[in-house]
């Protein structure tokens, strides 16, 4: 099957890699997007397109703005993939490490490679919008004293040379990506992914709570009673409503019927409940 998948970034970036690995049994055409909002717009406007969006990193935490984009566009989560993030320092062919005067990459990559960068105190660090895009920009402008931090595959794609591999500080560095579909085709996409109801074991939802004592603990007690594994809870302030929050929750479970009973049980305790997706827990890459 041929898939059109919107990604944030360009060919060779981590979104591109995650899309190729998740849909490894399909022919994948990626659609490059400069921003996550642009990515969401593609999926909203054209139901034939899917999206893949980073939502959480084991070092940097959650990408809070993406929860809001997901909710505002009423996109449906139909899957997830957990990608092991590996960074390389790449430069023009023939360039050596001692020639480098400036390094370009996404700010998140700089943060994840800080220990290695501390060994290069005289090199200027300049933030760019994309990891793979930094490598492409250096090659196109023939910058012999520049290097980029990006996946090693991007170096091959853009004719760059890998100077140092595995420069990420923490080797247990993973990013969780959500696979997103237009709400009008989400059920069909789940079937295409061979996800039947009995195989669904994860749910993502968002709700608000009344501003009363113990409101959150009551919800958590109900979820515990129904054997729901609360794998993530993230609060975000509601703009324009001081000291009120939305709660984004991930649940893992083994019994879909029991999960639906849990949802029904918390309905009287919460406000504005929105289920963002019911899907299969994603596999974790070992690259």
């Amino acid at each position: 099957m041929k898939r059109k998948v919107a990604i944030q970034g360009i060919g060779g970036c981590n979104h591109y890699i995650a899309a190729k690995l998740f849909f490894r049994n399909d022919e994948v055409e990626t659609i490059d997007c400069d921003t996550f909002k642009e990515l969401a717009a593609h999926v909203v406007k054209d139901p034939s397109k899917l999206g893949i969006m980073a939502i959480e990193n084991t070092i940097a935490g959650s990408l809070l703005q993406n929860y809001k984009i997901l909710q505002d566009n009423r996109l449906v989560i139909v899957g997830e993939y957990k990608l092991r993030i590996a960074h390389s320092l790449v430069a023009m062919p023939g360039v050596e490490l001692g020639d480098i005067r400036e390094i370009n990459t996404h700010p998140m990559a700089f943060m994840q490679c800080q220990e290695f960068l501390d060994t290069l105190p005289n090199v200027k660090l300049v933030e760019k919008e994309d990891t793979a895009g930094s490598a492409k920009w250096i090659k196109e402008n023939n910058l012999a004293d520049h290097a980029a931090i990006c996946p090693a595959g991007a170096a091959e794609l853009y004719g760059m040379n890998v100077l140092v591999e595995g420069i990420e500080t923490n080797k247990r560095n993973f990013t969780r990506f959500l696979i997103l579909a237009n709400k009008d085709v989400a059920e069909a996409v789940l079937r295409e992914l061979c996800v039947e109801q009995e195989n669904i074991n994860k749910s993502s939802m968002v709700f608000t709570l009344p501003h009363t004592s113990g409101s959150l603990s009551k919800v958590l007690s109900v979820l515990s009673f129904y054997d729901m594994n609360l794998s993530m809870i993230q609060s975000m302030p509601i703009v324009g409503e001081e000291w009120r929050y939305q709660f984004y929750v991930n649940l893992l479970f083994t019994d879909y019927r029991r999960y639906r009973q849990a949802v029904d049980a918390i309905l009287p305790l919460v406000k504005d409940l929105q289920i963002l997706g019911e899907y299969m827990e994603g596999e974790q890459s070992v690259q």
Side-chain angles (χ1 to χ4, degrees):
M1 176 176 291
K2 185 171 183 178
R3 303 276 187 188
K4 293 181 179 179
V5 183
I7 64 171
Q8 190 277 317
I10 66 171
C13 71
N14 286 312
H15 277 79
Y16 173 89
I17 294 170
K20 291 289 188 178
L21 290 174
F22 183 85
F23 295 108
R24 56 187 172 273
N25 295 323
D26 297 330
E27 181 185 349
V28 177
E29 175 190 341
T30 55
I31 302 162
D32 300 346
C33 301
D34 292 331
T35 66
F36 290 114
K37 286 185 177 180
E38 181 185 346
L39 184 160
H42 273 284
V43 182
V44 170
K45 292 177 182 177
D46 186 350
S48 71
K49 297 176 182 176
L50 300 178
I52 187 163
M53 178 185 287
I55 198 68
E56 183 181 8
N57 178 263
T58 53
I59 296 175
S62 297
L63 282 73
L64 297 179
Q65 76 278 11
N66 286 359
Y67 285 107
K68 192 75 171 79
I69 292 172
L70 182 65
Q71 185 182 5
D72 288 348
N73 288 278
R74 303 194 72 83
L75 299 177
V76 179
I77 305 169
V78 293
E80 68 176 7
Y81 191 79
K82 300 163 187 173
L83 179 68
R84 158 82 160 86
I85 304 299
H87 292 299
S88 295
L89 187 71
V90 311
M92 296 282 293
V95 173
E96 297 182 358
L97 185 59
D99 301 324
I100 302 303
R101 297 291 175 264
E102 181 175 309
I103 297 177
N104 308 117
T105 196
H106 189 278
M108 186 79 72
F110 275 136
M111 184 179 69
Q112 295 172 357
C113 300
Q114 192 57 57
E115 194 171 287
F116 170 80
L117 294 171
D118 287 344
T119 68
L120 305 172
N122 298 319
V123 176
K124 184 180 180 181
L125 307 181
V126 178
E127 295 181 355
K128 298 288 186 181
E129 293 183 351
D130 184 47
T131 55
S134 298
K136 183 181 180 183
W137 176 76
I138 290 170
K139 182 61 184 296
E140 289 177 342
N141 290 277
N142 197 30
L143 301 174
D145 61 348
H146 283 49
I149 295 175
C150 64
E156 181 179 356
L157 195 61
Y158 298 115
M160 300 284 278
N161 182 46
V162 176
L163 296 178
V164 189
E165 286 189 283
I167 64 172
E168 66 276 5
T169 301
N170 191 321
K171 306 306 179 185
R172 299 296 300 170
N173 178 11
F174 287 83
T175 293
R176 185 165 64 91
F177 293 86
L178 301 178
I179 316 303
L180 307 174
N182 184 295
K183 59 183 176 58
D184 294 333
V185 299
E187 289 188 16
V189 172
L190 281 169
R191 289 195 297 270
E192 290 170 1
L193 296 174
C194 300
V195 180
E196 302 297 334
Q197 188 180 92
E198 60 268 22
N199 296 327
I200 292 173
N201 64 353
K202 189 167 186 177
S203 172
S204 297
M205 63 182 67
V206 58
F207 53 77
T208 59
L209 292 170
H211 200 48
T212 57
S213 177
S215 58
L216 178 58
S217 64
K218 291 175 184 176
V219 172
L220 298 181
S221 295
V222 171
L223 293 176
S224 176
F225 174 80
Y226 283 94
D227 301 316
M228 298 297 103
N229 178 6
L230 186 70
S231 62
M232 189 280 294
I233 183 168
Q234 177 74 57
S235 64
M236 281 187 64
I238 301 173
V239 177
E241 300 184 35
E242 296 84 357
W243 321 122
R244 293 198 64 230
Y245 300 87
Q246 286 184 313
F247 292 87
Y248 292 85
V249 170
N250 285 343
L251 299 178
L252 286 168
F253 47 87
T254 56
D255 186 330
Y256 184 82
R257 183 183 61 85
R258 186 81 166 161
Y259 151 71
R260 292 305 310 185
Q261 291 173 342
V263 173
D264 291 340
I266 66 171
L267 276 175
L269 305 175
V270 304
K271 296 181 178 180
D272 306 317
L273 176 69
Q274 180 182 345
I275 295 177
L276 303 174
E278 298 171 352
Y279 50 100
M280 286 179 61
E281 183 183 15
E283 63 181 319
Q284 186 162 293
S285 71
V286 294
Q287 66 164 2

